């Protein structure tokens, strides 16, 4: 087992990883930027190293500095969390070269799955249904439009290297195709330095259903059920839950087995997520695989009782998974609300600032993953998500009630957050009935 792990991340996920390491008796090293001197992760870790100025490019994304820090403190492994370098194969390769274990899949797998167009082909070959679309990446607008016509409008234009909802545009017809293609391509160039695109059929009002899997070096792959992440704004998740309210056992089993097949086809190792779209006729299609731990992993932990971060560490250390598929019993219902420092009344503009008094809710079946504390100053340089509130109850209705009362107890003085926006969703009749898809926010809260 590792003696010491460096956590190449910040905020609540860094704190989450530190806690898992501590339980396993592993020493932890935090890295922090100059803007994060007072951050909780830097305080909680056994050691903390400043790796540079506030902008992420000069600190949390600076591979050389992070590797140097790791060598200097003699850490055996790096946990990248999510975002930042978590899906960067170059970084995973640098780790390997320096004899540091990257807690995640190999760089080869990151490459294979990180290129979304290539991932679709791998999945298609393994018999996993993919959204109808182009098999080869495209760069020029004429060829792309030709494919769009063949697929049939509306289509989704996507960047092969895209992520986080960037580099993605819908085209309704030939008329708006060129404009959307160019915008998506430009966004992709700017964000990911890659102009290769692919075209997919636009699935109308689907549910976003994803399966959590975890795999070890011995070929064991276990799936831990699904998450319904259909409550999204600008293709970004806002609320996640497990299980999905409308899946029947037969479809759940089939999709779960498909997810395992997908992971095996990719020769996958460590934690990963297979994302599907589920249409109104209950057809499901693979859209992408995320090769990292995800923001919403706690809902799976709550229903499965499996600590995903610990499993990531076990399998990265070359140990077998501590659970088999037969051990997995999914219990009750879990919901997560992402709490962001943003103003829903002003187009969700980020609202960093200093938090006054903080009161975090607690109680039976309540979990808060956060790195905030009373007097904490949220730096303006990073993501606006400052907490995740997760509840678990025997039933979905019970979990919704619990989430409402839990959010009622949360106090974050002095800053603007999306908590009221979350309430509105939790009080919506269709949400409560489980009758919603990825267009829910746009349709129900479009007036903002
Ligand atoms: P990213 O990697 O940027 O998050 P994804 O491919 O995972 O992009 O898609 C994010 C979201 O965009 C999905 O959850 C869904 O809401 C929407 N989406 C993606 N592809 C399609 C599609 N072909 N049809 C309809 N909606 C889509």
């Amino acid at each position: 087992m590792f003696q010491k792990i460096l956590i190449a991340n910040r905020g609540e996920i860094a704190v989450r990883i530190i806690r898992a390491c501590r339980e396993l008796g592993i020493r932890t090293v935090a890295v922090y930027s100059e803007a994060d001197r007072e951050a909780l992760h830097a305080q909680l870790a056994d050691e903390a190293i400043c790796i540079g100025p506030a902008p992420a490019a000069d600190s949390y994304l600076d591979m050389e500095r992070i590797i140097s820090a790791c060598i200097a403190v003699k850490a055996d492994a790096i946990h990248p969390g999510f975002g930042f370098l978590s899906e960067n194969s170059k970084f995973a390769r640098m780790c390997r070269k320096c004899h540091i274990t990257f807690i995640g899949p190999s760089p080869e797998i990151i490459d294979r799955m990180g290129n979304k167009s290539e991932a679709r082909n791998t999945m298609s070959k393994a018999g996993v249904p993919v959204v109808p679309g182009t098999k080869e990446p495209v760069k020029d607008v004429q060829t792309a439009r030709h494919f769009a016509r063949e697929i049939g409008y509306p289509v989704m234009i996507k960047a092969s290297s895209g992520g986080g909802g960037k580099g993605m545009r819908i085209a309704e017809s030939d008329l708006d195709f060129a404009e959307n293609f160019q915008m998506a391509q430009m966004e992709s160039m700017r964000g990911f330095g890659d102009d290769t695109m692919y075209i997919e059929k636009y699935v109308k009002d689907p549910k976003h259903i994803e399966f959590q899997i975890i795999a070890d070096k011995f070929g064991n792959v276990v799936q831990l059920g699904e998450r319904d992440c259909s409550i999204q704004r600008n293709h970004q998740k806002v609320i996640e839950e497990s299980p999905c309210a409308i899946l029947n056992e037969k479809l759940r089993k089939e999709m779960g087995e498909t997810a395992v097949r997908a992971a095996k086809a990719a020769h996958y190792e460590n934690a990963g997520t297979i994302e599907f779209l589920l249409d109104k006729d209950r057809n499901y299609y693979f859209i992408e695989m995320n090769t990292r731990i995800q923001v919403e992993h706690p809902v799976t932990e709550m229903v499965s009782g499996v600590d995903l971060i610990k499993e990531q560490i076990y399998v990265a250390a070359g140990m077998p998974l501590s659970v088999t598929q037969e051990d997995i019993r999914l219990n009750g219902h879990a919901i997560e609300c992402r709490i962001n420092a943003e103003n829903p009344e002003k187009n969700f503009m980020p609202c960093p600032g200093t938090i006054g008094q903080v009161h975090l809710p607690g109680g039976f079946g309540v979990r808060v993953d956060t790195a905030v504390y009373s007097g904490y100053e949220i730096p303006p340089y990073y993501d606006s998500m400052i907490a995740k509130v997760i509840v678990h109850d025997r039933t979905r209705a019970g979990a919704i009630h619990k989430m409402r009362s839990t959010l009622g107890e949360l106090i974050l003085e002095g800053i603007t957050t999306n908590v009221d926006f979350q309430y509105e969703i939790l009080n919506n009749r269709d949400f409560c009935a489980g009758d919603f898809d990825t267009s829910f926010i746009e349709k129900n809260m479009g007036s903002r």
Side-chain angles (χ1 to χ4, degrees), residues 116 158 163-165 200-201 203 208 232 235 275 277 288 438:
K116 291 163 75 167
K158 288 185 170 183
E200 250 177 30
K201 178 85 190 152
V203 182
H208 173 117
Q232 304 179 351
H235 309 302
E275 295 191 340
L277 295 181
E288 69 162 338
T438 56

Side-chain angles (χ1 to χ4, degrees), residues 92-103:
R93 267 192 194 93
M94 274 172 79
C95 289
R96 183 194 271 166
K97 229 179 182 168
C98 299
H99 308 288
I100 297 163
T101 304
F102 176 82
I103 302 180

Side-chain angles (χ1 to χ4, degrees), residues 387-426:
K388 304 187 306 207
V389 176
I390 308 110
V391 297
H392 182 239
D393 201 89
R394 278 191 302 119
T395 63
R396 183 169 190 269
I400 293 172
H401 281 297
K402 190 174 286 198
M403 183 60 91
R404 286 192 201 125
S405 59
T406 299
L407 290 184
E409 206 187 304
L410 175 66
I411 299 174
L412 293 166
E413 270 179 7
I415 56 158
T416 307
T417 71
N418 64 339
V419 170
D420 287 346
F421 183 72
Q422 293 281 10
Y423 264 120
E424 255 185 79
I425 300 170
L426 296 166

Side-chain angles (χ1 to χ4, degrees), residues 307-369:
D307 184 321
L308 283 164
I309 306 286
K310 281 194 203 162
E311 292 300 323
Q312 281 195 293
I313 295 172
Y314 294 144
V315 299
M319 291 160 64
L321 285 170
S322 74
V323 285
T324 65
Q325 193 65 60
E326 290 66 44
D327 294 333
I328 305 298
R329 295 274 174 277
L330 302 173
N331 282 314
H333 201 97
I335 302 180
E336 171 181 281
C337 286
R338 299 190 186 195
I339 309 302
N340 300 333
E342 64 186 14
N343 188 348
E345 305 301 327
K346 290 193 176 152
N347 199 27
F348 296 85
M349 187 178 73
C351 295
T354 302
I355 312 181
Q357 281 304 311
V358 171
H359 170 73
L360 299 177
F364 182 52
V366 175
R367 164 174 172 182
V368 182
D369 280 18

Side-chain angles (χ1 to χ4, degrees), residues 245-272:
I246 62 145
L247 276 196
N248 61 37
E249 274 314 313
K250 183 168 170 281
L251 188 54
R252 173 170 296 120
K253 187 164 179 287
E254 188 185 322
M255 289 177 78
E257 285 169 1
T258 306
V260 169
R261 192 159 74 239
K264 285 191 170 159
H267 301 290
Y268 200 75
E269 253 182 62
N270 217 285

